[in-house]
Amino acid sequence: MLASRKPVNGKQKPVLVITGTRPEIIKMAPIIRALKAEGLPYIFVHCGQHYDYNMAQQFIENLELAKPGYWLKIESTSSGAQTAEIMMKMDELLGKVEPSVVLVEGDTNSVLSAALAANKRVVPLGHVEAGLRSYDLRMPEEHNRRLTDHISQFLFAPTQHAVVNLKAENVWGKVFLTGNTSIDAVKEHLPIAERSSRVMEQVPFEEYALVTAHRAENVDDPTVLGSFLEVFERSPLPLVYPMHPRTLRRLAENGLIGKVEGMKNVHVLPPTGYLDFLVLMRNCKLIITDSGGVQEEATAPAIRKRVLVIRLSTERQEAVEAGFATVVGTDSRWILSAMNEALNAEKVLPAESPFGDGSAAQRTVAVIKESFV
Ligand code: UD1
Ligand code: UDP
């Protein structure tokens, strides 16, 4: 089922690097750079699931990537129609560009759509960040990543734990332990961020906790959304909160925007660029989040922060086992009590990240090179 190693019309077939959302752009950037460094032909495709400047193009600029070769325009708004539309447009594109392999990263609808499109065109598929499991079937991401893992020929597992998950499920593809490219990206961009970001000039507090929240099972549930607002009101530390567009929309629908804007201890920002976010993480006392990528970045040696995971589960158990993360649930009392505990604890965090040493992209591209060139 491997693609031909032979060049087509004297030309090497390109690797298709797919992104759809903000975290995929960030985590694919090191892979794009490694492909370039190896002189391998590639085409960068953005599926357009995230489309606002500050959810997509801003990251392409921050990470100094060239403009995507293709940027799909997606009209659908429901999750199912969005998945189907991306799949149809990817199918058309695959017919046109004939790649050697399609690379997807993570667990979004774009990932599943591109994976299915590759599978139907019988193009080899590589899943970056394979093998994560939250065992929380309320999450669309848990379905997307499981399905993608089972139709991938190459599974790039970030940790040994992910390798074990994949082996336990008897996936068909080959599994490679690589580390997570999120750590590569922090290593490369934090020094740049510290030189160029001006974001701290906007932060009106000496000390703060950094908050993000966007998971559908959290912010689409008015009870959980209300619980988060209670945490904001009673927080023992001021909060800096770059707000995801999904959350902004849900607050607006519930008539709660004014309430958040009125909280003097909460500094709300639009979704920040990657460099600004790195600096916000670097300078905060504590991170409170339901993000996946942020749980990893908090363990990067140059950041090393405690993270309270405002969810019922995590697929990043490694961060919990290493002492960085604590899954605190979504009830305001649990979150507030965990904040007080974390702020008073004198915990020494490990010097190394459980998500790798920052060379995940090189390892991934070495496998691609070995298999397709
Ligand atoms: C998606 C992923 C999630 C990932 C997150 C990263 C799925 C099922 N979810 O969630 O796994 O953690 O991206 O941030 O794929 N919106 C805008 N502008 C944009 C993008 C979105 O306004 O550029 C708003 C729209 O109202 C949209 C809503 O956000 O309906 C949700 O966007 P969507 O991409 O469906 O899901 P995310 O919550 O962003
Ligand atoms: N991030 C950012 N600006 C923000 C919030 C997050 O640059 O305002 C970055 C963060 O550093 C991480 C990624 O976006 O790399 C996480 O994205 P998100 O939380 O949306 O998705 P998830 O990782 O949960 O899929």
Side-chain angles (χ1 to χ4, degrees):
M1 166 86 185
L2 292 186
S4 162
R5 292 171 184 233
K6 292 198 190 94
V8 180
N9 303 329
K11 276 177 76 183
Q12 185 104 47
K13 287 180 170 187
V15 176
L16 219 58
V17 181
I18 310 293
T19 68
T21 66
R22 157 170 91 182
E24 293 158 72
I25 300 170
I26 294 166
K27 290 177 174 178
M28 280 300 203
I31 290 188
I32 292 177
R33 254 191 297 280
L35 286 168
K36 215 167 151 185
E38 289 291 340
L40 299 182
Y42 69 90
I43 301 176
F44 171 22
V45 179
H46 183 64
C47 295
Q49 181 175 342
H50 283 178
Y51 45 87
D52 286 343
Y53 172 82
N54 61 17
M55 294 299 286
Q57 178 63 27
Q58 162 166 243
F59 296 93
I60 293 171
E61 291 169 13
N62 283 177
L63 292 145
E64 296 178 40
L65 299 175
K67 203 169 134 222
Y70 296 88
W71 185 310
L72 310 181
K73 293 272 171 289
I74 304 303
E75 316 274 328
S76 315
T77 48
S78 83
S79 195
Q82 178 190 64
T83 307
E85 190 182 345
I86 298 172
M87 187 184 165
M88 278 172 64
K89 291 189 170 158
M90 278 303 305
D91 177 62
E92 208 176 302
L93 185 61
L94 290 174
K96 202 153 66 179
V97 300
E98 294 188 42
S100 57
V101 59
V102 169
L103 286 186
V104 293
E105 192 288 329
D107 51 23
T108 64
N109 287 345
S110 299
V111 168
L112 179 62
S113 307
L116 285 169
N119 182 262
K120 299 297 173 198
R121 286 265 177 190
V122 199
V123 176
L125 176 67
H127 189 196
V128 177
E129 198 178 85
L132 275 63
R133 297 290 180 268
S134 68
Y135 304 98
D136 182 344
L137 296 177
R138 297 171 309 153
M139 297 179 69
E141 294 85 357
E142 182 71 1
H143 298 264
N144 291 341
R145 57 187 163 232
R146 280 173 185 250
L147 291 166
T148 303
D149 282 340
H150 283 268
I151 56 170
S152 294
Q153 282 72 46
F154 297 87
L155 297 115
F156 300 106
T159 63
Q160 186 55 34
H161 194 88
V163 171
V164 169
N165 288 342
L166 292 167
K167 301 268 169 169
E169 289 179 20
N170 294 313
V171 291
W172 289 351
K174 284 194 200 164
V175 178
F176 303 89
L177 176 60
T178 56
N180 197 307
T181 58
S182 56
I183 304 300
D184 304 22
V186 174
K187 200 170 162 184
E188 183 152 353
H189 292 281
L190 188 60
I192 302 170
E194 294 203 293
R195 284 197 300 276
S196 62
S197 169
R198 295 272 157 276
V199 72
M200 293 309 293
E201 291 167 12
Q202 294 176 49
V203 174
F205 315 121
E206 282 284 301
E207 291 189 328
Y208 62 92
L210 180 62
V211 183
T212 80
H214 75 282
R215 291 254 92 84
E217 68 278 7
N218 279 344
V219 302
D220 291 4
D221 178 341
T223 309
V224 176
L225 200 58
S227 170
F228 289 175
L229 294 200
E230 264 176 59
V231 172
F232 297 170
E233 270 177 327
R234 294 165 47 205
S235 170
L237 193 67
L239 304 171
V240 174
Y241 181 17
M243 196 183 285
H244 190 284
R246 176 189 281 273
T247 314
L248 182 65
R249 175 178 275 211
R250 296 295 174 244
L251 287 171
E253 285 166 0
N254 289 283
L256 292 169
I257 300 252
K259 188 168 179 185
V260 180
E261 279 175 357
M263 294 178 186
K264 291 210 162 36
N265 64 331
V266 184
H267 187 66
V268 176
L269 294 170
T272 74
Y274 181 58
L275 302 179
D276 286 349
F277 197 78
L278 288 176
V279 169
L280 287 172
M281 278 193 287
R282 175 87 186 84
N283 289 299
C284 71
K285 292 285 281 183
L286 178 67
I287 299 172
I288 301 166
T289 192
D290 61 10
S291 163
V294 175
Q295 290 176 62
E296 293 153 5
E297 290 163 348
T299 71
I303 294 183
R304 286 172 80 224
K305 289 282 148 64
R306 283 284 303 270
V307 185
L308 304 183
V309 182
I310 44 174
R311 288 175 42 186
L312 304 182
S313 65
T314 181
E315 56 294 303
R316 272 97 176 164
Q317 293 86 350
E318 300 87 342
V320 177
E321 283 155 20
F324 290 96
T326 313
V327 178
V328 299
T330 55
D331 185 303
S332 60
R333 289 163 301 178
W334 302 338
I335 302 171
L336 286 164
S337 131
M339 284 180 79
N340 283 314
E341 181 280 323
L343 291 171
N344 292 316
E346 302 267 322
K347 199 165 178 178
V348 180
L349 296 170
E352 287 179 3
S353 169
F355 299 103
D357 59 2
S359 307
Q362 275 170 20
R363 290 191 191 99
T364 306
V365 169
V367 172
I368 303 288
K369 192 172 177 187
E370 162 72 22
S371 310
F372 294 101
V373 179

